[in-house]
Amino acid sequence: MRLTLRYFGALRDRLGREAEDRDIADVTTAGAAIDALVEQDSTLASALLDFPRARYAINQRFATRTALLADGDELAIFPPVTGG
Amino acid sequence: MTDVITTRIQSEPFDMAAECALLAERCGEAGAIASFVGIVRGEGGLRDLTLEHYPGMTETGIAELARNAEARFPLQGGLVIHRYGTLTPGEAIVLVLAASRHRQSALDAVAFLIDHLKTEAVFWKRERYLDGTVRWVEAYESDDARVAKWKN
């Protein structure tokens, strides 16, 4: 399936990119997709090691690693939020 | 159906007194309006603070939080304004107002809203100091604990 990835905050700065489209085969959940992306991309792998508390959103809603993904979804990865 | 609590995400400054007066006018039945204003602290040689947001998700999340507060507290009205962009020390970042017949629900609703804004509102703060240092603000675990106390 094709996913649009978006990165925010310190993770975006660390990666030096804010969005990209990626194709991933044979995954159904957010966690599996992220594991597959990390396999393909050593920059993302090392960045995520620096952000062990990273949060996810699918189509702009908070999601856990077990949340289901569909073709065309927007998957965002970002550090814990610091609003207020 | 009109929302009880209005929510706005904006880069522009807001006028606290004017917003409070407008809410009072809109909520003729209210006996109390409670407020919270978050202000950029200038400590440690901070030059400015930039709030990044996730356009779409930030607005949706704050609107949902407002609906939760409406369901939980007997409110006549309310307002949440959260700013994004670059702010300097002394500038107001966030305004929360809640209008109710009685003070306790107004005060409680404001505390509920700001505690949840801290952990759920989709913003990231980046600080820039006078000496040129730039650092992203880390989330506090104490903020998660404040939200946990509302879960009963």
Side-chain angles (χ1 to χ4, degrees):
Chain A
M1 73 176 101
R2 169 152 286 211
L3 296 176
T4 297
L5 301 174
R6 296 186 69 176
Y7 311 106
F8 290 91
L11 177 62
R12 189 263 330 280
D13 277 7
R14 172 79 166 71
L15 285 168
R17 55 190 199 249
E18 59 181 39
E20 57 191 328
D21 287 343
R22 296 282 288 271
D23 290 304
I24 318 169
D26 304 325
V27 299
T28 54
T29 64
I34 288 160
D35 292 345
L37 290 164
V38 159
E39 282 285 315
Q40 296 173 7
D41 182 340
S42 60
T43 311
L44 182 62
S46 71
L48 286 180
L49 282 178
D50 290 344
F51 293 91
R53 296 165 70 206
R55 304 285 164 87
Y56 313 112
I58 298 173
N59 299 331
Q60 308 197 350
R61 301 190 73 88
F62 280 108
T64 62
R65 287 179 58 89
T66 56
L68 295 177
L69 282 171
D71 187 47
D73 278 353
E74 178 173 296
L75 173 63
I77 312 175
F78 45 77
V81 297
T82 53
Chain B
M1 198 185 118
T2 315
D3 295 329
V4 175
I5 301 175
T6 307
T7 57
R8 299 210 302 264
I9 312 303
Q10 62 186 47
S11 58
E12 306 77 40
F14 50 79
D15 181 336
M16 293 174 243
E19 297 296 350
C20 202
L22 275 173
L23 184 65
E25 200 173 300
R26 180 155 74 84
C27 306
E29 302 287 298
I33 294 179
S35 65
F36 172 87
V37 185
I39 294 166
V40 180
R41 282 190 303 270
E43 61 195 14
L46 183 80
R47 180 197 293 269
D48 56 38
L49 180 70
T50 298
L51 287 117
E52 179 184 348
H53 73 307
Y54 186 170
M57 183 171 175
T58 306
E59 288 82 353
T60 308
I62 290 181
E64 281 182 11
L65 175 59
R67 303 294 82 79
N68 290 343
E70 290 166 11
R72 185 164 180 139
F73 304 99
L75 301 177
Q76 259 71 50
L79 175 69
V80 175
I81 301 178
H82 204 306
R83 293 178 63 192
Y84 61 87
T86 299
L87 287 75
T88 52
E91 280 194 76
I93 303 182
V94 58
L95 174 66
V96 179
L97 300 176
S100 187
R101 287 178 189 279
H102 302 288
R103 71 179 181 280
Q104 197 60 52
S105 42
L107 289 165
D108 288 348
V110 167
F112 174 90
L113 284 162
I114 191 63
D115 283 351
H116 285 81
L117 282 169
K118 280 278 174 190
T119 57
E120 292 170 21
V122 182
F123 293 94
W124 299 273
K125 291 191 181 107
R126 190 182 67 225
E127 297 172 335
R128 195 163 61 120
Y129 289 86
L130 293 170
D131 68 3
T133 312
V134 172
R135 68 176 276 271
W136 288 92
V137 174
E138 302 253 347
Y140 292 112
E141 287 180 15
S142 58
D143 287 334
D144 290 333
R146 289 197 66 80
V147 160
K149 93 183 155 53
W150 291 103
K151 290 189 175 118
N152 51 35

